[in-house]
Amino acid sequence: MLPLLVSGNLWAQSNGADLIKRGEYLARAADCTACHTAPGGPAFGGGYPVNTPFGVIYGTNISADKQFGIGNWSDDEFVAAVRDGIGKDGGQLYPAMPYDAFTKMTRDDVLAIKAYLLSLPAVKQATPKTDLSFPFNQRWGMRFWKWFNFDQGELKPDPAQSAQWNQGRYLVEALAHCGTCHTPRNLTMGMDSDRAFAGGDLGAWTAYNITPDKNAGIGSWSQQDLVSYLKTGYAPGRASASGPMAEAVEHSLQYLPETDLQAMAVYLRSVPAIADAQQSKPRDSWGTASQDYLDRRGRNNNPQDGAALFNGNCAACHGADGGGIGKGFHAYPSLFNHGSTGAAAGNNLVSVILGGVHRNMQQGDILMPSFASELSDSQIAQLSNYVSKQFGNPAAANVSAKQVQKLRADAGLPQPPVVLQGDNP
């Protein structure tokens, strides 16, 4: 794979097959399918619901269809949508489309993606209408948002840095748009560039700090830890991907060549480290194996307390002592020395229990079942608090049933079962 930052003329002179192949690779790296393919729907046919603080925005049909897709879009119109946030009709696009990152892409790369999309079957279906409440339904207001939050312009290589570093920067900041999730938002919901990659709030999930800070971020991770995590969603003794990150690994990152992942890791390890006072030591350094289950044998225990819920729902896969079962890619991860249980807040742990984990990987599926329809909000709160206190960061052992209820709603998961006797909310 040639570097991303090659001369545009090289790709302009490529034959059609090469351009389409290039576009397929770029569309993978940009994870276009994430927002433009509905669950179970045809590729790039639109309809994926993107939950925002202001309502649901639907990913558009970007297939080759001439009526509902981009089949009759000019090159300039497509580039304006991707890089400038301006629709074919001249209307302003919502920044759920990450044009504040894609603006950094080269024009030739954007047009290679267009060539690839037009080579695929057309999907003749309309995109569901995005219907936000006032004033967020006034698209012209995005002009004001752009004044404060949109730095338009292609990313240029830094001649003082290596080719690998520049490659990683282009992937992280433009194509893979890592900052879209991992950077905090300001009052106008734009990315806070002063705290780039310091962690973002995704509603039901937290996108963790990925700066080189040793406690809050990835400062204690090796180059290979990062590459392994990006490629497989799993770094032994560090973390395993779930939620939106698992989707990014599944649909995009696992398909990138090793050279790209190495470049991304090099760049991420070079950005300014940003600390977080809540995180007093690395997330993956919390917890130890617990023998709590042995102390409870033979007792008349409450079948609804955290320990009983853990033994009944988690111990079979994660081990009664929380140490995990198995080794390698298909192992059930340890609950201690794990990024999710070592966080100072418990929302990601709760979201994993609610929604489970599913990564469809080239090496095979990674699966943890959802407990949303099995456990009530109160039970999940008790279970989460037990896991945090017993195996992880005790600071996160303060989740309430009301918080679980909100995270369940944010994720659009089923309502809890009927409350059982003894399951006090």
Side-chain angles (χ1 to χ4, degrees):
M1 180 62 64
L2 286 172
L4 291 168
L5 298 176
V6 296
S7 166
N9 290 331
L10 176 62
W11 289 109
Q13 294 167 6
S14 299
N15 63 41
D18 286 344
L19 187 65
I20 290 169
K21 184 177 180 181
R22 172 73 172 174
E24 179 181 14
Y25 157 72
L26 292 164
R28 284 275 200 190
D31 200 7
C32 300
T33 190
C35 294
H36 294 283
T37 301
F44 305 113
Y48 184 88
V50 180
N51 291 307
T52 76
F54 314 108
V56 177
I57 297 173
Y58 292 95
T60 55
N61 183 330
I62 56 170
S63 77
D65 187 76
K66 293 185 177 181
Q67 180 180 3
F68 299 114
I70 62 167
N72 64 353
W73 286 42
S74 70
D75 286 352
D76 286 344
E77 288 169 338
F78 188 75
V79 170
V82 174
R83 296 205 307 181
D84 304 327
I86 299 174
K88 180 177 172 60
D89 61 357
Q92 299 293 320
L93 301 184
Y94 292 114
M97 164 67 175
Y99 52 80
D100 48 352
F102 289 162
T103 189
K104 300 175 182 180
M105 292 172 60
T106 67
R107 177 182 174 89
D108 288 323
D109 278 354
V110 174
L111 292 180
I113 291 175
K114 179 174 183 266
Y116 166 64
L117 294 173
L118 293 181
S119 75
L120 301 175
V123 179
K124 196 171 186 61
Q125 67 180 23
T127 301
K129 183 181 178 181
T130 292
D131 188 18
L132 304 184
S133 60
F134 183 84
F136 307 110
N137 61 348
Q138 304 299 303
R139 287 182 180 266
W140 58 265
M142 291 298 99
R143 293 191 181 95
F144 297 101
W145 185 89
K146 287 180 176 180
W147 287 347
F148 291 103
N149 300 297
F150 185 42
D151 294 324
Q152 189 176 21
E154 182 180 316
L155 189 67
K156 301 296 185 182
D158 183 345
Q161 298 287 349
S162 69
Q164 185 184 45
W165 184 94
N166 278 297
Q167 177 86 344
R169 180 184 178 214
Y170 187 72
L171 281 157
V172 168
E173 293 200 7
L175 275 173
H177 54 283
C178 302
T180 300
C181 291
H182 288 279
T183 295
R185 297 283 166 167
N186 57 33
L187 290 176
T188 61
M189 297 305 292
M191 285 191 283
D192 182 354
S193 58
D194 291 335
R195 294 181 54 78
F197 308 116
D201 181 0
L202 306 182
W205 297 88
T206 294
Y208 290 128
N209 184 324
I210 54 172
T211 75
D213 185 80
K214 289 191 178 296
N215 289 336
I218 56 170
S220 62
W221 291 42
S222 70
Q223 174 84 2
Q224 194 53 47
D225 285 337
L226 277 171
V227 171
S228 174
Y229 185 74
L230 293 172
K231 184 69 174 179
T232 69
Y234 178 59
R238 299 289 189 189
S240 51
S242 53
M245 188 64 200
E247 293 176 9
V249 172
E250 176 182 341
H251 297 303
S252 174
L253 297 172
Q254 69 166 320
Y255 297 102
L256 299 189
E258 177 83 5
T259 52
D260 280 356
L261 302 179
Q262 291 284 352
M264 291 176 72
V266 164
Y267 178 69
L268 285 172
R269 284 157 59 83
S270 77
V271 304
I274 299 176
D276 181 348
Q278 288 188 307
Q279 204 66 47
S280 59
K281 63 180 182 179
R283 288 183 291 111
D284 53 40
S285 67
W286 287 89
T288 59
S290 170
Q291 302 299 315
D292 179 71
Y293 68 102
L294 292 175
D295 296 335
R296 291 172 177 266
R297 285 181 177 173
R299 294 185 187 177
N300 184 21
N301 296 312
N302 178 358
Q304 301 303 318
D305 70 11
L309 290 166
F310 173 81
N311 286 331
N313 296 280
C314 311
C317 294
H318 292 286
D321 66 350
I325 295 177
K327 294 183 178 180
F329 178 77
H330 288 287
Y332 293 101
S334 168
L335 295 178
F336 51 88
N337 302 141
H338 191 286
S340 293
T341 57
N347 58 319
N348 278 20
L349 176 57
V350 170
S351 290
V352 168
I353 297 170
L354 280 168
V357 177
H358 186 199
R359 298 197 306 274
N360 187 349
M361 306 296 292
Q362 291 175 301
Q363 302 100 309
D365 280 4
I366 300 298
L367 179 65
M368 170 183 157
S370 163
F371 289 91
S373 60
E374 304 294 328
L375 301 176
S376 71
D377 294 335
S378 178
Q379 288 174 315
I380 290 175
Q382 290 180 73
L383 175 57
S384 170
N385 291 335
Y386 175 82
V387 169
S388 293
K389 186 176 180 180
Q390 208 68 38
F391 305 110
N393 188 341
N398 58 3
V399 173
S400 68
K402 185 173 289 188
Q403 287 175 282
V404 177
Q405 182 183 43
K406 183 180 185 305
L407 290 170
R408 187 191 292 267
D410 286 345
L413 291 167
Q415 292 299 308
V418 175
V419 176
L420 301 173
Q421 184 177 3
D423 178 20
N424 298 315

